[in-house]
Amino acid sequence: MASVEARLAALAETIRRRQFAHEGPMDALSRSLEELEGELLGLDDLGKAVLLAELNREGEDGAEAVGLEPENLERWIADIRENKKLIW
């Protein structure tokens, strides 16, 4: 069952990329968000933990921590797998 879901997700991604190709050149922000989606989809458990630690740490420049919970990260990744746009 998981392999069928993986194949469907791959097909959806291929369709999405072809749609983008027909829409013309992708701007830098869209390209960056698409790359972020790909990185999020490729995270294993350790990668997710590292990302959460990084996002939830106060920045050296005084920037506040994001406060992202593991459940929210998992939901975010699940939405991407369902071919929902990350932000835009």
Side-chain angles (χ1 to χ4, degrees):
M1 188 66 141
S3 65
V4 171
E5 291 175 1
R7 292 177 70 191
L8 287 173
L11 270 171
E13 179 62 25
T14 300
I15 290 168
R16 190 167 135 215
R17 288 186 192 282
R18 287 183 183 172
Q19 286 173 336
F20 281 142
H22 292 297
E23 293 173 1
M26 191 180 297
D27 62 88
L29 176 59
S30 296
R31 188 172 27 262
S32 177
L33 289 171
E34 187 172 305
E35 289 171 7
L36 176 60
E37 287 178 345
E39 290 174 18
L40 289 172
L41 289 173
L43 290 175
D44 59 8
D45 289 339
L46 179 59
K48 291 174 188 176
V50 169
L51 177 63
L52 284 169
E54 181 100 7
L55 291 173
N56 293 330
R57 181 181 49 179
E58 187 174 305
E60 293 176 8
D61 61 355
E64 290 184 32
V66 174
L68 186 65
E69 297 291 328
E71 299 81 24
N72 294 336
L73 178 60
E74 292 296 338
R75 188 173 328 116
W76 206 12
I77 293 170
D79 285 348
I80 295 168
R81 279 198 183 98
E82 292 176 17
N83 204 25
K84 296 178 184 172
K85 293 183 185 285
L86 186 64
I87 295 173
W88 74 110

